[in-house]
Amino acid sequence: MTNQAAVPPKPVILEAVLERITYANDDTGYTVARVATEKSGADLLTVVGALLGAQVGESIRMTGRWRSHPKYGRQFEADSYSTVLPATVQGIRRYLGSGMIKGIGPVMADRMVSHFGTDILRVIEEEPGRLVEVRGLGKRRTARIAAAWQEQKAIKEVMVFLQGVGVSTSLAVRIYKQYGDTSIDTVRREPYRLAADVWGIGFKTADTIAQAVGIPHDSPERIKAGLQYTLSEAADQGHCFLPEPNLVTAAEKILGVARDLIVPALDELAGDEGVVRERVNDVPAVYLVPFHRAERSVARGLRTLLNVPKDRLAAFADVDWLKALTWLRERTGTELAPEQEQAVRLALTEKVAVLTGGPGCGKSFTVRSVVELAAAKKAKITLVAPTGRAAKRLAELTGHEAATIHRLLQLQPGGDAKFDQDNPLDTDLVVVDECSMVDLILANKLIKAVPPGAHLLLVGDVDQLPSVGAGEVLADLLGADAAIPRVRLTKIFRQAQQSGIVVNAHRVNAGDHPHTRGYPDFFLFPCEDSEETAALTVDVVVNRIPAKFDLDARRDIQVLAPMHRGPAGAGSLNALLQDALTPHRETVPERRFGGRVFRPGDKVTQLRNNYDKGEAGVFNGTVGVVTTVSREDHTLTVRTDEDEDIDYSFDELDEITHAYAITIHRSQGSEYPAVVIPLTTSSWMMLQRNLLYTAITRAKRLVVLTGSRRALAAAVRTTSAGRRHTALTHRLLTPT
């Protein structure tokens, strides 16, 4: 006898109310949920499958089949779903009270259903004016509810179409917000527009949609969009341009079309000014337009500042330095080392200067000395840093007000700065701390705002990771040794030599294994298994450090992981740490978005620059704490490190993610009382010396390494893959 293949059961339809989502994966859409049907009553059923985007409280119609799982028992495996309006009083009350419709919370939903019964949904749809019959609903709120209902209805129509072409619910909402009633027509006719217009949609998503609506694989529009996407991906990896051969080869892999179709499309793109071609050091470079403009502008701006005859700190040109430094020593109680003295003189006599050096070498005291002397001459001083935490530290160090670069420049919606070359800052000295994390675009905005004759001091540690954004500004400036004055501090001060953080940072930077014993501020808890390392990391954060060092697990301790994915990556650790520190409670409102749940008390970080939020925008890497979740207003509020309250509507929650654990790259410019660094062999590709060095130097009081000794050794011995494709050094040394 031959075994016949088992015949899969025929698909069936299950209608239910979504009561709870227990797991959701953003990447795959796989969801585990609990639902209630009319027959099941209080006994909830388990559904698994493609439910990403469905919200708690919705009535959904699922197509799939019943399965028996060996561990979890009987469950419904959903292939697809659509939302339907509930028909029972209980279902309607749950639906309206879930926060699906802006302006209606659980209390108001109860009143509305009590008054109108099962007719309430028809009333909202056809006679919304009658809602004023419900106690507590005035004309204004009634109009708001009616508008929210119509918007939800329109979004659902767009979603039905977009789900058919593979677009998730959250992106469907963004597409509708961007294009409104023309959404479906735009998606059908110009799918590649979405990659440029809608945050969260890249070329790959647009390409999937384009294929679904019948755009040819070898369409010139597709190839041009693919070339721009390839350059955009390179920018996300830090490159300002790509050599043309690299670009064509990478695009060939992404697009899956012949090389002889790509080159003509690139010619056409350059002719339309979609990209810029230029030879840089005999390399045929291809830029996206914003990065080409910014690179040229930074070089031109720095040369202008250096060479302008006017000097707003002219008093230091002929100052009696012996007298000035004696006064400074008496004021601070500390004498400058020769390297520090050289840096102070340079900052106050040269109009552009760079100060670099590792931890414990006196950068901070040098900056304070520059500020003290400038203030003594009544100079107007501007202190800035890329992040709120770094700005606070700079203010504490100097006793002068400091701001983030974004707040200083007062960026407007769209990203334009209030202060630029036509409206410069009124200042004599600008000090920029943590320059290693300032990317090309931000550096350009800042340099434009420095007035002619003012002095610009750029301070940073060039051995740290370069900026998250494109460019390698600090390293490029140091590379232009004939053009930009600089001092590198190298001497580690005696007091700093007692710190395991300082000593081991320098050891790692030199390629030496850190000393993990004998220091009160540097520890290693070894563990070779990745999942066990994750559990150990949580225990260290939640229990061990708070007990021994009296530090708060959420406020004072930051987990810095080499990468996001993996058993001990930032993604997994965030879920574990949230369960430990901000667990689900029935009485506390929460909001699920994709695979994440947000609760009051959650530590979160911003994932994109959004110039439309807050007083001067909210920027990639801004950290804060969720303070409120309002189902009625569809709003989540975050209190940022800059003490600003930022509201996010529920359809904007893909802009933030949890920050109990973050990648080391995202920690740049920040300082924490304690950092915990999980190192596992599962993050092998990311284990590099400057990554570990950056993580260690983020700590102020305590470093704890958890995980594999083998992974630690790999990180110490592995140097970074190489420099980014930038041309700022070239432009500074060969002005045109």
Side-chain angles (χ1 to χ4, degrees):
M1 289 182 62
T2 58
N3 290 331
Q4 290 187 335
V7 178
K10 289 182 179 180
V12 296
I13 292 173
L14 177 68
E15 290 194 9
V17 175
L18 184 57
E19 294 287 340
R20 189 165 71 245
I21 294 175
T22 56
Y23 171 80
N25 185 306
D26 275 329
D27 297 324
T28 64
Y30 181 80
T31 303
V32 179
R34 302 280 280 165
V35 302
T37 65
E38 285 187 31
K39 291 182 180 179
S40 71
D43 296 326
L44 300 183
L45 308 174
T46 298
V47 175
V48 299
L51 296 179
L52 197 62
Q55 297 292 336
V56 170
E58 283 187 315
S59 292
I60 54 178
R61 180 181 289 123
M62 296 164 284
T63 301
R65 55 198 56 77
W66 289 101
R67 302 275 194 194
S68 182
H69 191 280
K71 183 175 180 181
Y72 300 110
R74 193 167 184 258
Q75 54 190 31
F76 189 80
E77 194 175 87
D79 297 323
S80 62
Y81 80 93
S82 60
T83 56
V84 293
L85 292 177
T88 65
V89 167
Q90 182 182 355
I92 292 170
R93 183 181 285 112
R94 181 85 168 89
Y95 174 70
L96 292 177
S98 68
M100 286 297 299
I101 308 301
K102 203 171 193 176
I104 305 176
V107 173
M108 188 53 66
D110 195 50
R111 287 184 197 167
M112 293 166 74
V113 175
S114 296
H115 186 81
F116 290 108
T118 57
D119 203 34
I120 179 60
L121 298 182
R122 186 198 65 77
V123 171
I124 298 174
E125 170 76 28
E126 299 174 9
E127 302 178 87
R130 287 188 60 196
L131 294 176
V132 295
E133 297 173 22
V134 179
R135 179 170 55 89
L137 285 183
K139 286 186 177 181
R140 182 180 296 178
R141 196 167 173 193
T142 293
R144 188 171 147 217
I145 290 170
W149 177 269
Q150 291 304 321
E151 183 180 66
Q152 277 294 318
K153 191 176 169 188
I155 289 172
K156 289 289 184 192
E157 290 175 9
V158 175
M159 282 180 185
V160 169
F161 169 73
L162 291 174
Q163 280 176 350
V165 293
V167 179
S168 71
T169 303
S170 58
L171 292 182
V173 172
R174 285 198 177 275
I175 290 169
Y176 180 79
K177 296 281 188 188
Q178 178 72 29
Y179 303 118
D181 294 338
T182 66
S183 296
I184 293 174
D185 190 57
T186 302
V187 170
R188 278 200 179 112
R189 294 174 182 273
E190 303 176 90
Y192 292 107
R193 264 187 69 187
L194 274 60
D197 293 350
V198 182
W199 184 77
I201 294 185
F203 170 79
K204 289 184 178 178
T205 302
D207 200 35
T208 301
I209 296 169
Q211 286 181 303
V213 299
I215 302 293
H217 190 66
D218 59 356
S219 156
E221 291 308 308
R222 177 177 183 267
I223 295 171
K224 286 192 284 186
L227 283 163
Q228 289 180 306
Y229 166 73
T230 305
L231 288 170
S232 178
E233 284 284 284
D236 288 344
Q237 294 165 14
H239 301 295
C240 296
F241 68 85
L242 280 181
E244 188 168 319
N246 301 33
L247 170 62
V248 173
T249 300
E252 196 176 4
K253 289 179 183 175
I254 288 167
L255 291 164
V257 299
R259 200 178 190 89
D260 57 9
L261 292 175
I262 294 174
V263 175
L266 180 57
D267 293 339
E268 191 177 328
L269 199 57
D272 296 339
E273 298 185 354
V275 298
V276 176
R277 278 169 156 162
E278 183 181 355
R279 291 200 76 83
V280 176
N281 283 332
D282 291 327
V283 173
V286 184
Y287 286 82
L288 288 173
V289 174
F291 298 109
H292 184 258
R293 287 179 179 164
E295 200 171 69
R296 287 169 58 92
S297 177
V298 167
R300 185 171 57 247
L302 288 171
R303 284 197 302 271
T304 300
L305 290 174
L306 277 164
N307 298 324
V308 70
K310 184 178 180 181
D311 190 346
R312 296 181 68 142
L313 290 179
F316 288 98
D318 55 4
V319 74
D320 182 338
W321 282 104
L322 181 61
K323 185 177 178 182
L325 294 172
T326 300
W327 173 86
L328 181 66
R329 183 177 65 249
E330 290 171 353
R331 182 170 177 81
T332 62
T334 306
E335 186 166 357
L336 291 170
E339 288 177 337
Q340 293 176 305
E341 183 181 324
Q342 182 191 354
V344 169
R345 290 191 185 209
L346 200 70
L348 296 171
T349 57
E350 295 283 357
K351 300 193 189 84
V352 178
V354 176
L355 171 63
T356 188
C361 293
K363 283 199 311 296
S364 295
F365 184 70
T366 305
V367 169
R368 179 186 165 192
S369 300
V370 170
V371 171
E372 291 277 6
L373 287 168
K377 294 292 186 182
K378 308 296 187 211
K380 295 175 182 176
I381 300 166
T382 301
L383 305 177
V384 290
T387 67
R389 281 177 181 254
K392 280 183 179 178
R393 190 176 68 243
L394 189 57
E396 291 165 2
L397 166 73
T398 61
H400 287 255
E401 186 178 340
T404 63
I405 299 171
H406 305 98
R407 282 188 179 276
L408 172 74
L409 300 180
Q410 295 182 34
L411 299 186
Q412 312 298 306
D416 292 330
K418 178 181 176 182
F419 295 100
D420 55 22
Q421 65 266 42
D422 298 322
N423 181 34
L425 299 160
D426 181 18
T427 186
D428 303 321
L429 170 66
V430 179
V431 179
V432 190
D433 200 10
E434 293 286 357
C435 272
S436 64
M437 73 169 296
V438 177
D439 62 38
L440 181 70
I441 299 294
L442 188 58
N444 184 38
K445 292 180 190 296
L446 177 62
I447 289 165
K448 281 181 178 179
V450 178
H455 288 223
L456 175 63
L457 175 62
L458 302 164
V459 184
D461 184 348
V462 74
D463 293 318
Q464 288 182 19
L465 289 169
S467 57
V468 173
E472 207 163 9
V473 175
L474 182 61
D476 284 346
L477 295 183
L478 290 168
D481 52 358
I484 306 294
R486 87 285 311 285
V487 170
R488 179 163 191 153
L489 304 179
T490 57
K491 179 188 174 185
I492 305 176
F493 286 89
R494 185 177 302 166
Q495 185 177 354
Q497 291 173 8
Q498 311 306 311
S499 164
I501 297 172
V502 171
V503 169
N504 284 325
H506 284 278
R507 287 186 62 82
V508 167
N509 199 35
D512 297 324
H513 200 281
H515 293 313
T516 56
R517 292 183 180 178
Y519 288 105
D521 59 354
F522 200 100
F523 299 90
L524 167 67
F525 289 97
C527 178
E528 291 302 321
D529 181 81
S530 294
E531 291 187 0
E532 289 176 12
T533 296
L536 174 61
T537 301
V538 172
D539 184 38
V540 166
V541 171
V542 176
N543 301 311
R544 300 193 195 191
I545 292 178
K548 184 174 177 63
F549 295 95
D550 194 28
L551 293 172
D552 183 86
R554 264 181 298 187
R555 185 184 63 245
D556 300 326
I557 305 168
Q558 183 62 57
V559 177
L560 302 179
M563 58 194 296
H564 183 78
R565 296 173 186 262
S572 298
L573 286 168
N574 269 318
L576 294 170
L577 287 163
Q578 184 191 36
D579 284 346
L581 296 171
T582 320
H584 168 76
R585 287 176 287 167
E586 289 294 339
T587 56
V588 177
E590 60 182 41
R591 180 66 179 181
R592 178 173 286 277
F593 190 96
R596 300 190 289 271
V597 181
F598 296 101
R599 301 172 183 139
D602 273 343
K603 191 175 179 180
V604 295
T605 183
Q606 176 80 8
L607 293 174
R608 63 173 289 221
N609 290 347
N610 188 331
Y611 300 101
D612 299 323
K613 285 195 174 295
E615 290 183 21
V618 183
F619 301 93
N620 187 358
T622 298
V623 175
V625 174
V626 177
T627 54
T628 57
V629 176
S630 171
R631 291 175 183 159
E632 187 170 321
D633 295 329
H634 275 213
T635 301
L636 178 150
T637 303
V638 174
R639 182 78 168 176
T640 72
D641 273 355
E642 295 178 61
D643 299 323
E644 184 177 15
D645 290 320
I646 304 294
D647 291 333
Y648 295 84
S649 66
F650 283 172
D651 56 29
E652 295 176 319
L653 296 184
D654 54 351
E655 292 193 16
I656 59 175
T657 191
H658 295 101
Y660 299 102
I662 60 175
T663 62
I664 296 168
H665 279 88
R666 296 192 69 80
S667 73
Q668 290 169 266
S670 294
E671 187 179 67
Y672 314 95
V675 302
V676 180
I677 309 167
L679 298 171
T680 66
T681 52
S682 60
S683 56
W684 198 262
M685 293 297 292
M686 294 299 295
L687 296 175
Q688 295 177 358
R689 190 179 300 167
N690 63 348
L691 192 83
L692 180 57
Y693 174 78
T694 299
I696 292 170
T697 56
R698 299 306 86 210
K700 194 174 181 179
R701 291 174 51 189
L702 177 68
V703 168
V704 178
L705 307 178
T706 60
S708 165
R709 293 184 187 275
R710 187 164 158 247
L712 173 58
V716 171
R717 70 170 177 265
T718 307
T719 55
S720 61
R723 289 292 303 273
R724 297 174 169 187
H725 292 299
T726 69
L728 181 56
T729 298
H730 168 76
R731 296 184 194 282
L732 287 167
L733 294 175
T734 55
T736 54

